[in-house]
Amino acid sequence: MRNRLLETIAPTAFVVMWSSAFIAGIIGVGAAPPMLVLFARFALAGAVLTLYAVAVRAKWPCGRELVHVLIAGLLMQMVQFGAFYTAMADHVSAAVISLVQGLNPVVIALFAGSVLGETVTRRQWAGFGIGGVGVGLAVVDQSHFSAIGVALCVAGLLGLSLGTVYQKRFVPHVDSRANTAVHVLVSAPVAGIFVLAGGDTHIGDPIRFTGSLIWMVAINAVACFLLLNAMLNRFDATRVGRLFFATPAVTAVLAWLLIAQPLRPLTIAGLGVGVLGMVLASRGGATASARRRLRPGGEPAATAVAHPVPR
């Protein structure tokens, strides 16, 4: 009965929860500076995930292994979310950021070709190009378009993709529970430094700030993490990976319903083209053993099977 319930409800629940992270992020940066939101999120999520890792007696990395985990964590957490949250504050829509993040497996495939010795097929190159066109269509349709916002989205995508490849190159077998906690914990003080350097700690709307923070920690950082690992333990990784193809569209609908972000025809077309590129790029290329090497645990697991990291 439990397995049947998980198979029926879990995929839909996961897609909605994952997509909601972009909505919570936009609400948060609308109430407080993005780095302050990020610092609070990392600090709280780090405490919760550390307690969980201790409770389940996860094996913690140490020595040189720990150094590699720290570097991967800064790329995947601080660079990715620092760029994405700043882009949100620059009025880049949730749908566009979700679509850009969804191109992560394409970029991973490109990096993996040189770093992990994988073959990038013509179909994957085509998928990369088509996905880029989709992002371009969605971005052009935004009323608050800015080159800085687009550059931030690209920086966030590169942080996530480089961090994933780095981790699977140097520390592919770290316990996912401790790994995720370390990623968040090392990013919290860095975000705090940016808060102090910026000098802006004003919270314009404490209620919205607190509500978005609770959601990001409880749902996106913890519940998504647990549900993702439960699905990866019971389902084929490819099946779980396909769920991420739905997140840009679900994010766009949620943003339209909950925070009144417009859903224009060109944005819808861009989402469709972008998802097509993601699907093409996910097919073929890596060998089975290489795909196994690219499957991290915890938050990065989502990254490898098709897409980031609980937001």
Side-chain angles (χ1 to χ4, degrees):
M1 176 64 71
R2 179 182 298 179
N3 288 340
R4 183 177 299 177
L5 186 65
L6 181 66
E7 185 167 348
T8 302
I9 298 176
T12 300
F14 178 76
V15 170
V16 173
M17 288 193 300
W18 187 279
S19 301
S20 72
F22 301 95
I23 313 303
I26 286 179
I27 292 173
V29 300
M35 287 300 158
L36 181 59
V37 175
L38 202 57
F39 169 72
R41 174 203 159 130
F42 284 155
L44 291 176
V48 173
L49 291 171
T50 297
L51 289 174
Y52 170 70
V54 171
V56 297
R57 298 182 179 179
K59 182 181 178 181
W60 293 85
C62 58
R64 181 176 298 179
E65 185 180 60
L66 176 60
V67 173
H68 288 310
V69 171
L70 294 174
I71 294 172
L74 287 173
L75 287 169
M76 298 174 72
Q77 295 287 337
M78 187 62 225
V79 174
Q80 179 198 183
F81 290 122
F84 283 153
Y85 277 34
T86 306
M88 290 177 184
D90 197 45
H91 306 293
V92 178
S93 75
V96 168
I97 293 175
S98 175
L99 182 56
V100 170
Q101 192 192 59
L103 293 175
N104 175 52
V106 184
V107 181
I108 285 178
L110 300 180
F111 285 140
S114 58
V115 177
L116 299 179
E118 297 180 15
T119 301
V120 181
T121 67
R122 292 182 178 180
R123 176 178 290 180
Q124 287 177 308
W125 279 110
F128 178 75
I130 292 172
V133 170
V135 171
L137 288 173
V139 167
V140 168
D141 200 34
Q142 302 304 302
S143 58
H144 295 287
F145 166 78
S146 78
I148 293 177
V150 174
L152 287 167
C153 287
V154 173
L157 173 61
L158 290 176
L160 174 59
S161 302
L162 286 170
T164 301
V165 174
Y166 182 93
Q167 176 159 304
K168 299 329 296 172
R169 171 65 177 82
F170 294 104
V171 280
H173 304 300
V174 176
D175 189 301
S176 66
R177 299 160 296 187
N179 175 72
T180 305
V182 171
H183 281 191
V184 178
L185 289 173
V186 70
S187 299
V190 177
I193 291 172
F194 276 101
V195 172
L196 294 175
D200 185 4
T201 58
H202 175 69
I203 300 176
D205 191 330
I207 294 178
R208 289 168 66 87
F209 172 76
T210 302
S212 66
L213 192 59
I214 291 173
W215 187 271
M216 284 188 284
V217 173
I219 302 300
N220 304 138
V222 178
C224 273
F225 168 74
L226 297 175
L227 184 55
L228 175 63
N229 280 281
M231 290 192 298
L232 286 171
N233 286 334
R234 290 170 174 80
F235 304 151
D236 182 82
T238 302
R239 177 182 175 184
V240 177
R242 283 196 291 265
L243 295 176
F244 293 95
F245 296 144
T247 56
V250 173
T251 299
V253 172
L254 289 178
W256 174 58
L257 291 173
L258 300 178
I259 56 178
Q261 288 195 341
L263 194 56
R264 301 185 183 90
L266 197 56
T267 300
I268 296 173
L271 290 170
V273 172
V275 170
L276 175 61
M278 290 161 58
V279 172
L280 283 175
S282 71
R283 296 176 178 272
T287 63
S289 61
R291 282 193 295 270
R292 283 194 295 271
R293 288 199 307 272
L294 264 177
R295 175 184 164 181
E299 290 186 316
T303 303
V305 289
H307 171 298
V309 195
R311 335 289 70 206

